[in-house]
Amino acid sequence: MSEEEKFDVIIIGAGPAGSSCAYTLAREGKSVLMIERGDTPGSKNVTGGRFYTYALEMLDSGLYEEAALERKVTHEQIMLLSGDRSISIDYHEPGFNTGGEAPMSYTILRANFDEWLAEKAEEMGAMLACGIRVEELIERDGKIVGVRAGEDEMYADVVVAADGVNSFMAQKAGLIKDIEAHTVGVGVKEVIELPARTIEERFNLKEGEGAARMILGCTEGIHGGGFLYTNQDSISLGCVFMPAKAAERGKTIHEIFQDFKMHPSIHPLLQGGLTVEYGAHLVSEAGYRGIPRKIYREGFLMVGDAAGFVINTGYSIRGIDLAMLSGIAAARAIIDAENTAEVGPQYLKELDEIKIIPAMKAADGFFDVLETPGLYDKMPNLANDVFNNLFTVDGGVPGSIKKDVMRLIKENGLSMWQLIKFGLKGVKSL
Amino acid sequence: MSYIIACYKWVVDEADIRINPDLSIDTKKSKGKISDYDKNAIEAAVQAANILGGKSLGLTFGGPETRLSLKDALSRGPAEGCWISTGEAAKADAAVTAKALAAAIQKISDVSLVFCAEGASDTYARQTAPRIGAILDWPVVTSVSKLDIEGSTLTAVRKLDDCLQTVKVDLPAVVSVLPEINDAPIPGLKAVLAAGKKPVTEIKAEELGIDFSPKTDVTEIKGYLMNRKNIILSEGEAADKVKELAAYLRKEGVL
Amino acid sequence: MAGIYIYSDKKDIVAELINFAKESEKEACVITFKQEDAEAIKDFGAEKIYVLKGSSQVPENYGKAVAELLKKQDADLFAVGATARGRDIAARTAGYLDCGMVSDVSSLSYREGTVISQRMMYGGTVIQSEELKGLCVVTVPAGKFEAAVGGETVEIITIDVEADSRVRLIETAPVLREGTDITAVDTVICVGQGLDKKEDLQLAQGLADVLGAEIGCTRGIAEERKWLPVERYIGISGAVIKPKLYISMGVSGQVQHVVGIRDSKVIVAVDLNEKAPIFRAADYGIVGNMYEIIPLLTEALKNA
Ligand SMILES: Cc1cc2nc3c(=O)[nH]c(=O)nc-3n(C[C@H](O)[C@H](O)[C@H](O)COP(=O)(O)OP(=O)(O)OC[C@H]3O[C@@H](n4cnc5c(N)ncnc54)[C@H](O)[C@@H]3O)c2cc1C
Ligand SMILES: Cc1cc2nc3c(=O)[nH]c(=O)nc-3n(C[C@H](O)[C@H](O)[C@H](O)COP(=O)(O)OP(=O)(O)OC[C@H]3O[C@@H](n4cnc5c(N)ncnc54)[C@H](O)[C@@H]3O)c2cc1C
Ligand SMILES: Nc1ncnc2c1ncn2[C@@H]1O[C@H](COP(=O)(O)O)[C@@H](O)[C@H]1O
């Protein structure tokens, strides 16, 4: 094989994981090729849209200042829907999210963010080939030594799979099987354009500031939840479901999403907007236990979603920041390792050091909490019932609140015992 | 070694153009692309260069955003790229465009064949090739659906409204090709990587010494609004949807 | 002598452009390249008819000669029929004159030395208005003006000119039109590249038979796959139709195609992809597989 056709590292996928890895490697003088199947990085990627900037700080200090970010999140919101009712909680603290050196969290649009980040990696000297889908890994003497796309083969010391959830490359490497339905959800999302002023008015925001909202009770009882993020001049609205359950309900995901959009507490927020983007994507739900048993082979590493690095707590999904950290960890391992055999074990150490594995372990309990029966319909309904009870004044003698609540719990098909168990699980997971 | 040039234009993707309620147009969110049929012109130049033993070159005239086009264009096969860069391109009409391209072709000097596509996706004016020919006073062959090159003679089949015409011409010449001339391949990994390493010349507009003032005065640009009922039956059984549609059509009285 | 100079390889367009010159209160001067072409139009009502006589049989090769004539005669405007030949000769002439040119105008008027025109851009997404002063060139599609009613026979002026002899004509093979004119029928069934194979045109034919319709298609079906003759393709580079009913199957509805059906009374689309732009251009649509929908629809409309 000629010099021309060999790189130090080939990275498959120019999402946040791939680009962070490429950036770090190229900065240290490694020859890096990043291959992306989309026509531009991010063009096909679907995400909710919240990003924690500490990950960019870790990549390079000050980088976040020029990043393609939308609004700084200053309003953290939770919304419980039931029927045509809703309860909203808005946590707003004027000083919140100012951070020390780097602010904490921004909304983003992936088409812009991914393209920007990949460009940064290119500026560092990484090569980027877009519009190319990697189809095969090339294996020699038990090692992964390159990739094949169409007719073309390209070689490298290390191939990094940054190709996202349900990694096709990891399957090819024999490190994961095809997806198991109960560990991945399906996310659907629309981007709805509205003038910046309208968004600020509707969400009570200052210029440049934004809201991040998690929504429960919008999935017809199916394990899952909704999200709403305010971008500069658009709103990202979506929800995540367990697909098998949706099928049991005899409703398409699209239909459930349409109903969600029409909810009387959601629809006015979107009114007059123009849907400019619609996408669906898988999202890993299993957290720590969703990480494959092996995330490397000689000559091969998995990063980001490909390695299952997503923390889903129900009130937030963290994938982009973990993807970036794992990309950095992989790059560090490749830079430090003496030979290809050492890269994998070194990568595990770096993951620990960069705190991904510990963070994921700590959040593991959420998986059980989120499996709680009733969480996605009965509980939001109960909460709304309680509020209904609280605010109803009809001239009669008010009953004991405690008794009313007990009655409502029962009416919702829940028991006190279930709620206590849920509470305990919740506390345990914290 | 002589050059075989493909002129290609970097255009706004018409599918991304938004029309505001007041019919003004918004191209802010539009991505650029190589004008669709220019991919066939590029492929024609690459093939011709192989036959003639010359060097294929992609030539484009456009503003700063056109820089993005070079990697894409070169991944489609040309050995070199050349970009006439000027902000003036945004208001160039066909007269200015052809003058700029012709001046660049003269500057490149050793050129045996120039390809354009039938028409660009934005203007679809179908002027550029004949105009370049006139400015250079070279022979022109338009609407070419088939091409053979032997020695320095080109035989082309032209597709006209009422006939197919076979013509012969000695090089140098300017040729505009129809999209059916070839299948423009989708670039592979190696082609994309090679594109990054190919030489690109940037010609500053001032170097060409031509007048960039357009001959046409654009007085209004407005979007076309399609006003239709948009009753789309997407859910349910096929038979029910068909029944529903048939009922609508009966009501419309168009059967 | 000033005036509007006219060329088209289609006699109908010559008659229309003569009328345009008259409406503009200018002399209509027609340019031809063969004596018999001049004879054929001598009573169309033009003020002058020129034959530019030279050695080439290819009209496009006279671009330079035309440019010289226009300059010498101090012409106001060169109006050319928008056909493949016409566009070529018009643009070459404009190139030699270094003057402005508007291609394929959708509307055109000439007032006080100014050409006011509109044309489509971006495949028909946008309409652009332009003004040109001084000698310039336009190409005009058929049907933009009423044909001139005719007039006295005028003298034909023959000028010997030099033609570009470098492009040599070897052979001409006429393309036989098969007679049906999809611009003239009430119902059109349009097939697109969603069709898997040529035999499946039967599917469209079945529906067409029931509705007494003709079959049209998108450009790719005619030009690339060659499953139907080119005069059957609809769009900015093909036919522009105005039927009462247009039904598409497997047509994505890119603007270049849709431009050709905008004046239809009712537009119906069947496509697998609910995001296909054709649905935005349609009155009624069914999202579904045409291989399932079209037979059902054919059946349902049998007794209509
Ligand atoms: C609906 C939804 C909402 C979410 N919300 C959030 C949120 O608010 N905050 C958050 O932090 N995370 C969120 N996530 C998770 C987050 O999007 C992912 O964790 C993150 O995108 C992972 O990054 P990645 O680089 O590993 O993979 P991806 O972003 O998936 O990138 C993979 C890249 O590889 C490319 N690729 C794939 N296969 C090939 C191939 N064979 N050849 C070449 N290229 C290939 C793809 O085109 C893509 O560009 C959400 C996810 C979903 C689905
Ligand atoms: C300068 C220029 C001029 C052009 N001029 C013209 C013109 O005059 N006329 C013209 O037509 N085009 C023209 N084009 C091309 C035009 O842009 C489109 O590429 C073309 O119209 C697409 O043809 P299509 O819809 O048949 O094919 P596609 O775009 O490939 O669409 C095929 C459709 O079939 C659907 N489909 C597939 N299988 C099935 C199934 N089983 N059942 C139902 N649906 C199915 C798909 O969902 C898709 O929407 C021009 C382009 C340019 C750049
Ligand atoms: N700005 C430009 N740069 C390079 N080539 C061009 C440019 N404009 C037009 N062309 C070429 O001329 C062809 C016809 O363009 P037009 O005459 O505008 O329809 C295009 O398909 C290109 O091949």
Side-chain angles (χ1 to χ4, degrees):
Chain A
M1 70 191 88
S2 76
E3 264 313 294
E4 289 244 351
E5 285 160 359
K6 177 144 190 250
F7 289 83
D8 291 336
V9 184
I10 292 177
I11 299 170
I12 304 160
S19 287
S20 303
C21 188
Y23 182 99
T24 311
L25 287 165
R27 189 182 50 200
E28 301 301 318
K30 296 278 178 197
S31 69
V32 185
L33 168 63
M34 211 174 6
I35 305 175
E36 167 57 47
R37 68 177 166 191
D39 284 338
T40 51
S43 56
K44 287 190 188 155
N45 293 348
V46 179
T47 199
R50 150 190 291 235
F51 171 65
Y52 296 91
T53 45
Y54 79 93
L56 270 177
E57 241 346 70
M58 197 142 346
L59 191 57
D60 233 339
S61 151
L63 209 50
Y64 79 92
E65 285 174 40
E66 48 169 304
L69 306 172
E70 295 289 321
R71 286 172 182 269
K72 185 166 97 168
V73 177
T74 54
H75 285 256
E76 298 281 355
Q77 305 177 333
I78 293 171
M79 194 175 199
L80 304 175
L81 303 183
S82 167
D84 58 1
R85 305 175 298 171
S86 70
I87 300 167
S88 302
I89 299 163
D90 177 14
Y91 173 68
H92 179 227
E93 182 188 329
F96 184 63
N97 204 3
T98 33
E101 284 82 60
M104 283 163 47
S105 153
Y106 278 82
T107 56
I108 60 169
L109 287 167
R110 288 290 294 278
N112 301 341
F113 183 79
D114 288 12
E115 196 171 0
W116 169 81
L117 192 59
E119 224 167 78
K120 284 282 136 193
E122 274 188 287
E123 278 172 28
M124 281 296 150
M127 295 260 263
L128 172 63
C130 286
I132 307 280
R133 186 170 172 276
V134 175
E135 281 142 10
E136 296 286 346
L137 296 171
I138 305 171
E139 196 174 326
R140 228 166 261 163
D141 307 326
K143 290 185 219 169
I144 304 294
V145 294
V147 301
R148 187 176 300 124
E151 314 261 278
D152 295 334
E153 295 186 345
M154 204 61 70
Y155 297 89
D157 291 333
V158 184
V159 172
V160 177
D163 56 341
V165 63
N166 190 26
S167 166
F168 186 53
M169 289 303 130
Q171 288 175 40
K172 290 275 171 193
L175 295 180
I176 61 168
K177 293 203 190 66
D178 202 356
I179 17 176
E180 289 161 41
H182 74 278
T183 59
V184 292
V186 174
V188 293
K189 176 199 164 187
E190 275 186 25
V191 178
I192 299 152
E193 269 191 16
L194 282 164
R197 280 282 302 282
T198 309
I199 293 174
E200 282 148 18
E201 275 161 27
R202 287 184 189 174
F203 290 86
N204 203 9
L205 303 170
K206 285 212 198 87
E207 209 181 309
E209 299 194 343
R213 182 180 298 192
M214 297 309 294
I215 302 159
L216 215 55
C218 59
T219 52
E220 311 230 340
I222 302 161
H223 183 146
F227 56 81
L228 184 159
Y229 297 106
T230 57
N231 305 311
Q232 194 46 41
D233 47 16
S234 64
I235 287 174
S236 295
L237 181 79
C239 41
V240 177
F241 306 89
M242 293 313 256
K245 299 268 170 54
E248 282 167 25
R249 296 291 149 111
K251 264 204 169 177
T252 65
I253 287 170
H254 181 71
E255 283 166 323
I256 299 174
F257 185 55
Q258 286 310 316
D259 290 348
F260 172 36
K261 273 174 70 179
M262 295 314 291
H263 189 280
S265 302
I266 296 291
H267 188 252
L269 300 171
L270 315 174
Q271 211 154 18
L274 178 71
T275 301
V276 291
E277 204 182 297
Y278 176 89
H281 200 269
L282 298 176
V283 56
S284 165
E285 293 267 337
Y288 180 64
R289 51 194 103 161
I291 302 174
R293 272 216 328 280
K294 271 199 82 183
I295 54 174
Y296 68 86
R297 272 179 64 175
E298 188 163 357
F300 185 81
L301 296 180
M302 291 146 69
V303 297
D305 270 9
F309 296 145
V310 178
I311 297 179
N312 184 351
T313 59
Y315 60 84
S316 77
I317 305 178
R318 278 175 58 194
I320 304 167
D321 54 332
L322 299 188
M324 292 182 64
L325 295 194
S326 62
I328 297 168
R332 287 181 183 164
I334 293 167
I335 293 160
D336 290 347
E338 301 274 320
N339 54 50
T340 51
E342 250 182 48
V343 172
Q346 184 65 29
Y347 176 44
L348 292 187
K349 275 190 219 140
E350 296 286 352
L351 283 173
D352 226 45
E353 205 144 289
I354 211 161
K355 300 199 187 76
I356 292 186
I357 301 289
M360 291 197 63
K361 260 188 202 150
D364 186 38
F366 282 107
F367 189 69
D368 297 320
V369 178
L370 298 176
E371 289 280 89
T372 308
L375 181 59
Y376 304 99
D377 47 3
K378 291 176 184 165
M379 292 196 198
N381 199 46
L382 170 62
N384 276 282
D385 282 351
V386 170
F387 274 90
N388 174 285
N389 192 65
L390 213 59
F391 293 122
T392 303
V393 175
D394 56 9
V397 180
S400 130
I401 291 184
K402 189 172 139 207
K403 261 197 204 141
D404 281 344
V405 170
M406 290 307 283
R407 174 175 55 83
L408 290 171
I409 290 172
K410 222 165 125 195
E411 276 174 20
N412 274 293
L414 294 163
S415 69
M416 204 51 210
W417 174 234
Q418 268 178 305
L419 290 179
I420 291 168
K421 232 173 43 182
F422 175 67
L424 283 177
K425 259 203 291 194
V427 170
K428 250 191 357 212
S429 74
L430 290 178
Chain B
M1 208 186 326
S2 77
Y3 281 103
I4 290 84
I5 292 181
C7 297
Y8 74 89
K9 187 174 186 181
W10 185 249
V11 298
V12 164
D13 190 337
E14 65 275 11
D16 295 337
I17 295 178
R18 293 238 219 102
I19 296 165
N20 298 322
D22 66 353
L23 295 188
S24 61
I25 67 160
D26 176 358
T27 54
K28 276 202 300 286
K29 296 266 155 73
S30 311
K31 289 228 172 66
K33 63 169 182 186
I34 290 180
S35 174
D36 304 50
Y37 295 164
D38 290 359
K39 294 172 187 167
N40 302 100
I42 292 173
E43 174 65 12
V46 171
Q47 287 182 14
N50 284 339
I51 297 168
L52 285 165
K55 226 185 210 174
S56 51
L57 179 145
L59 172 63
T60 188
F61 164 57
E65 70 287 351
T66 310
R67 182 183 294 281
L68 295 170
S69 73
L70 284 152
K71 203 167 153 188
D72 186 357
L74 292 176
S75 72
R76 295 170 190 279
E80 287 183 31
C82 179
W83 170 33
I84 311 160
S85 117
T86 168
E88 303 275 332
K91 42 184 218 302
D93 62 357
V96 171
T97 302
K99 264 186 285 190
L101 294 170
I105 291 164
Q106 265 164 336
K107 203 176 154 73
I108 296 167
S109 87
D110 184 15
V111 176
S112 53
L113 190 51
V114 175
F115 284 99
C116 287
E118 173 201 13
S121 313
D122 55 352
T123 58
Y124 202 40
R126 292 172 273 191
Q127 289 188 28
T128 309
R131 272 186 185 269
I132 293 174
I135 296 165
L136 299 172
D137 203 16
W138 284 11
V140 178
V141 188
T142 57
S143 304
V144 171
S145 64
K146 212 165 155 279
L147 197 75
D148 278 311
I149 299 171
E150 245 189 87
S152 65
T153 306
L154 181 146
T155 309
V157 177
R158 300 179 66 205
K159 198 171 194 173
L160 301 177
D161 299 61
D162 52 4
C163 66
L164 292 177
Q165 192 182 65
T166 309
V167 297
K168 267 192 189 333
V169 63
D170 294 330
L171 302 181
V174 181
V175 172
S176 83
V177 295
L178 297 172
E180 54 267 33
I181 186 101
N182 55 36
D183 289 322
I186 297 164
L189 177 57
K190 282 190 179 158
V192 170
L193 280 183
K197 298 188 191 118
K198 290 178 180 173
V200 172
T201 321
E202 185 178 333
I203 301 180
K204 292 273 175 238
E206 308 83 74
E207 296 172 43
L208 294 176
I210 57 165
D211 178 10
F212 280 95
S213 41
K215 305 279 182 187
T216 56
D217 180 15
V218 175
T219 52
E220 191 184 33
I221 292 179
K222 103 183 167 218
Y224 183 94
L225 207 60
M226 198 82 179
N227 230 337
R228 290 285 168 176
K229 295 199 182 78
N230 299 131
I231 299 173
I232 309 303
L233 313 169
S234 58
E235 309 288 339
E237 292 294 317
D240 297 336
K241 291 190 274 191
V242 167
K243 232 194 256 159
E244 209 175 326
L245 173 64
Y248 279 124
L249 294 182
R250 283 197 187 93
K251 223 164 74 197
E252 290 276 0
V254 289
L255 293 175
Chain C
M1 195 194 67
I4 292 180
Y5 284 67
I6 293 164
Y7 168 77
S8 180
D9 56 347
K10 282 217 168 96
K11 270 196 313 193
D12 298 351
I13 306 185
V14 173
E16 290 164 10
L17 292 176
I18 290 173
N19 199 16
F20 159 66
K22 291 197 183 307
E23 277 177 15
S24 311
E25 296 170 5
K26 286 283 168 190
E27 285 207 336
C29 311
V30 182
I31 296 173
T32 64
F33 303 101
K34 268 196 221 142
Q35 187 68 26
E36 65 252 43
D37 291 346
E39 298 285 347
I41 57 154
K42 66 178 182 232
D43 57 357
F44 276 22
E47 267 78 22
K48 289 226 164 64
I49 299 175
Y50 292 95
V51 180
L52 301 194
K53 221 169 108 198
S55 56
S56 174
Q57 296 179 64
V58 179
E60 298 87 310
N61 285 343
Y62 291 84
K64 197 176 187 176
V66 171
E68 276 159 12
L69 175 74
L70 297 176
K71 245 194 316 207
K72 199 167 124 215
Q73 299 293 339
D74 194 20
D76 293 306
L77 173 64
F78 185 33
V80 181
T83 60
R85 266 191 208 103
R87 288 184 192 102
D88 183 330
I89 191 168
R92 274 200 237 189
T93 306
Y96 280 109
L97 291 170
D98 188 19
C99 71
M101 167 168 162
V102 186
S103 304
D104 290 73
V105 294
S106 45
S107 78
L108 173 71
S109 64
Y110 185 79
R111 259 179 258 133
E112 288 154 22
T114 304
V115 171
I116 299 161
S117 68
Q118 284 190 317
R119 70 179 308 263
M120 288 188 285
M121 294 278 284
Y122 299 106
T125 312
V126 166
I127 297 165
Q128 178 164 306
S129 307
E130 279 161 279
E131 289 188 11
L132 296 90
K133 289 196 173 35
L135 172 56
C136 59
V137 182
V138 294
T139 57
V140 187
K144 289 292 159 193
F145 298 94
E146 297 282 316
V149 282
E152 284 168 29
T153 303
V154 292
E155 186 201 349
I156 295 169
I157 306 158
T158 303
I159 305 173
D160 286 321
V161 296
E162 208 164 310
D164 184 346
S165 57
R166 293 169 294 184
V167 177
R168 306 180 301 276
L169 180 61
I170 305 301
E171 191 188 333
T172 304
V175 174
L176 291 181
R177 302 276 149 175
E178 34 100 79
T180 35
D181 178 4
I182 61 161
T183 64
V185 295
D186 277 346
T187 309
V188 172
I189 312 296
C190 182
V191 297
Q193 299 183 108
L195 207 66
D196 284 338
K197 48 189 188 302
K198 188 174 178 186
E199 294 76 71
D200 298 342
L201 282 169
Q202 270 315 317
L203 201 63
Q205 194 58 54
L207 181 57
D209 288 345
V210 166
L211 293 174
E214 287 295 337
I215 298 181
C217 63
T218 58
R219 183 167 176 158
I221 292 285
E223 297 278 22
E224 278 146 47
R225 299 192 190 168
K226 301 189 168 46
W227 291 352
L228 285 169
V230 288
E231 61 269 25
R232 292 211 176 227
Y233 88 79
I234 299 163
I236 193 167
S237 35
V240 174
I241 60 169
K242 308 182 176 87
K244 288 210 184 83
L245 176 62
Y246 161 100
I247 302 177
S248 79
M249 41 194 274
V251 172
S252 63
Q254 304 305 321
V255 60
Q256 293 91 350
H257 174 73
V258 167
V259 162
I261 60 168
R262 277 177 180 167
D263 292 329
S264 308
K265 181 159 178 260
V266 173
I267 296 178
V268 177
V270 177
D271 199 284
L272 215 46
N273 173 8
E274 102 183 87
K275 300 240 160 331
I278 192 74
F279 289 123
R280 274 180 268 136
D283 294 296
Y284 304 100
I286 291 184
V287 178
N289 186 339
M290 64 186 182
Y291 287 97
E292 183 184 2
I293 303 290
I294 298 296
L296 288 170
L297 188 63
T298 308
E299 202 51 44
L301 297 182
K302 244 180 198 157
N303 322 312

